Amino acid sequence: MMKNEKDLEKFVQDAIDEWSDVYAGDAKAANARIRAAEKMVARWAKEGVVLDLLLPLLEHEAASVRFAAAAHLINHGGKEQAVVVLRDLLKQPNLISSSASAVLRIHKISVTP
């Protein structure tokens, strides 16, 4: 689990830094962070540990981390918990709200309970 713990720390930091990149107008850096997270989550899915690693992040203090975890969990067995978090993130006065709404719409899930 040591490698996964290190990767999880990177996932959290990248989720935070991705939004810093977005607000700084650096789409290339933000997209690189997204691709890195997708690769990690794909590996975790093969190992069967996505839920173990990402479910706790749904309660992280940073909205960006909660969003990243929920956006991945919706496809990896944590849909019910992810939807609750994504709907809550709609209250954020920033781009995370728009992104949460987009994820819900893509999955044809109502933005209201």
Side-chain angles (χ1 to χ4, degrees):
M1 188 76 152
M2 186 70 139
K3 171 132 176 68
N4 285 341
E5 288 174 13
K6 193 170 189 169
D7 283 347
L8 189 60
E9 289 175 17
K10 180 173 175 21
F11 180 92
V12 168
Q13 192 58 54
D14 278 353
I16 294 167
D17 293 343
E18 172 192 336
W19 289 95
S20 296
D21 293 339
V22 167
Y23 289 116
D26 192 347
K28 186 175 179 179
N31 288 333
R33 293 181 199 283
I34 291 168
R35 284 190 301 277
E38 288 170 348
K39 287 180 184 177
M40 267 188 265
V41 173
R43 192 182 78 250
W44 294 339
K46 287 180 184 174
E47 296 172 8
V49 297
V50 173
L51 291 173
D52 294 336
L53 295 172
L54 294 185
L55 278 175
L57 296 184
L58 293 178
E59 297 180 20
H60 196 276
E61 65 186 41
S64 56
V65 175
R66 294 193 308 275
F67 170 75
H72 289 287
L73 282 167
I74 205 164
N75 294 315
H76 293 283
K79 182 176 181 178
E80 187 175 314
Q81 299 94 323
V83 168
V84 170
V85 170
L86 291 167
R87 285 179 176 153
D88 186 59
L89 288 170
L90 295 174
K91 301 171 192 166
Q92 296 286 317
N94 55 33
L95 289 175
I96 291 175
S97 173
S98 299
S99 296
S101 177
V103 170
L104 290 168
R105 283 194 319 273
I106 287 166
H107 290 279
K108 298 181 178 10
I109 299 168
S110 170
V111 295
T112 56

